[in-house]
């Protein structure tokens, strides 16, 4: 596969692109989507307890006829209460496998009663052979520092939101990950074109796509690869999935990456400015309403 594999800090390897089931729902639709992804060449399936489709993913993988060692499975601890040992067993049962390749704590707030205690449980299930690698998702710098302070085993991966418009914001997370050999997994990398079209990133991405005879979504996935991250993506269309795999062949130049980064930074600043304006306007509105209410109350007392 053109995406190749990345080596994790525990010595195992992970495919450079994954099919994510976050939006797949459940039932036959989810089974069909995983089956379609595997049929075009995806060998990494990403699911989670919260997605409620581990069972469907497992069924699709069994029906694919692939040997267990030929597919990489990521799932996530997504329930409260800190029952990591029970949760991993439930996930294994749902998936119909004896182990998962990568198990993540889905969010730092789920690490109960605290990050150190939860991570010790993750280390335990790794020793027991229920998971090959352990990691986290949506962990910020402070969360990672709290984990690393007591960890016997460093997290192998941190799956985070990563696209050009949040790159500036997420850069400190990438920096601490690089320092400790933690692989970044990027989800929602296509947001600039799927949910925020018309922004500054469009221009460099479209120009690069034209030069490389590619599509904008392929360029954004190639940007993820250029950042050294695993791309976690999805689509219901076979042609797009095939295009995502082909994106692994695209070679962006340092100038290409810099242009996308710069445009993303501009978009990030604009978004922050808009958010600030909205907050100021809200405060002003609340103040005006409070003033009117106080004036009304004074008038009532004077009657």
């Amino acid at each position: 596969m053109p995406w190749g594999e990345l080596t994790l800090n525990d010595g195992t390897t992970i495919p450079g692109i994954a099919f994510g089931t976050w939006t797949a729902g459940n039932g036959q639709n989810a089974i069909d989507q995983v089956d379609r992804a595997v049929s075009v060449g995806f060998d990494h399936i990403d699911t989670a307890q919260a997605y409620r489709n581990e069972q469907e993913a497992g069924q699709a993988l069994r029906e694919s006829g692939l040997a267990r060692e030929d597919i990489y499975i990521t799932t996530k601890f997504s329930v409260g209460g800190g029952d990591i040992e029970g949760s991993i067993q439930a996930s294994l049962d749902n998936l119909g496998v004896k182990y998962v390749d990568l198990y993540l704590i889905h969010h730092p707030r789920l690490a109960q009663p605290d990050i150190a205690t939860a991570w010790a449980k993750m280390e335990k299930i790794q020793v027991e052979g229920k998971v090959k690698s352990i990691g986290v998702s949506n962990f910020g710098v402070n969360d990672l520092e709290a984990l690393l302070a007591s960890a016997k085993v460093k997290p192998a991966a941190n799956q985070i939101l990563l696209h050009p418009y949040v790159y500036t914001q997420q850069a400190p997370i990438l920096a601490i990950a690089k320092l400790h050999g933690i692989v970044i997994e990027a989800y929602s990398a296509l947001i600039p074109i799927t949910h925020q079209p018309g922004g500054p990133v469009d221009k460099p991405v479209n120009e690069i796509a034209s030069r490389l005879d590619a599509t904008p979504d392929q360029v954004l996935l190639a940007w993820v690869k250029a950042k050294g991250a695993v791309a976690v993506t999805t689509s219901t269309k076979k042609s797009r999935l095939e295009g995502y795999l082909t994106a692994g062949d695209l070679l962006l130049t340092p100038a290409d990456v810099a242009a996308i980064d710069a445009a993303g930074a501009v978009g990030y600043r604009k978004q922050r400015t808009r958010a600030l304006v909205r907050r100021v306007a809200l405060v002003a509105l609340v103040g005006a309403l409070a003033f009117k209410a106080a004036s009304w109350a004074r008038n009532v007392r004077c009657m």
Side-chain angles (χ1 to χ4, degrees), residues 50-271:
Y51 305 164
R52 300 184 183 278
N53 54 27
E54 290 176 318
Q55 193 168 30
E56 287 88 341
Q59 180 177 335
L61 293 177
R62 287 192 300 275
E63 292 176 353
S64 72
L66 289 172
R68 176 64 188 88
E69 60 270 20
D70 292 333
I71 194 75
Y72 193 99
I73 301 174
T74 294
T75 194
K76 309 175 191 74
F77 169 68
S78 307
V79 299
D83 185 20
I84 289 174
E85 297 95 330
S87 292
I88 183 58
Q89 190 57 55
S91 289
L92 294 176
D93 292 343
N94 285 331
L95 288 161
V97 296
K98 294 182 179 179
Y99 69 91
V100 295
D101 297 277
L102 178 61
Y103 194 52
L104 309 177
I105 298 177
H106 209 154
H107 194 281
R109 68 170 177 264
L110 297 171
Q112 299 295 329
D114 53 60
I115 288 176
T117 302
W119 189 250
K121 294 179 180 179
M122 295 286 283
E123 293 174 336
K124 180 175 180 289
I125 62 173
Q126 184 184 36
V127 170
E128 293 171 347
K130 295 178 180 178
V131 301
K132 296 289 186 181
S133 300
I134 52 177
V136 294
S137 181
N138 299 304
F139 270 50
V141 172
N142 291 340
D143 305 314
L144 290 171
E145 289 177 341
L147 187 159
L148 292 165
S150 63
K152 296 178 181 177
V153 177
K154 292 182 179 181
N158 185 16
Q159 187 175 126
I160 63 172
L161 173 69
L162 185 62
H163 58 75
Y165 290 136
V166 298
Y167 177 65
T168 299
Q169 173 187 341
Q170 301 291 60
I173 301 176
L174 272 65
I176 191 173
K178 183 177 181 180
L179 180 64
H180 293 280
I182 301 168
V183 165
I184 291 294
E185 293 189 283
Y187 68 80
S188 297
L190 304 184
I191 275 182
I193 58 176
T194 59
H195 291 74
Q196 299 175 2
V201 165
D202 284 17
K203 184 175 186 293
V205 165
N206 289 334
E207 289 176 351
I208 295 166
S210 178
R211 190 187 81 237
L212 298 179
D213 191 24
T215 58
D217 53 5
Q218 288 178 314
V219 171
L220 285 173
L221 291 176
W223 176 85
V224 169
K225 184 179 181 181
K227 294 299 182 184
V230 172
V232 182
T233 190
T234 191
S235 177
T236 60
K237 296 183 178 180
K238 181 179 179 181
S239 60
R240 285 187 180 170
L241 292 175
E242 292 171 338
Y244 295 167
L245 293 180
T246 305
D249 287 326
L250 295 182
L251 295 177
L252 302 188
T253 67
D256 291 336
V257 175
I260 295 172
D261 290 352
V266 170
Y268 173 68
R269 289 193 295 271
K270 287 183 177 180
Q271 289 172 3

Side-chain angles (χ1 to χ4, degrees), residues 19-26 29-30 33 51 53 233-236:
F19 176 78
T21 65
W22 179 14
T23 60
N26 46 40
N29 182 56
Q33 287 194 41
Y51 305 164
N53 54 27
T233 190
T234 191
S235 177
T236 60

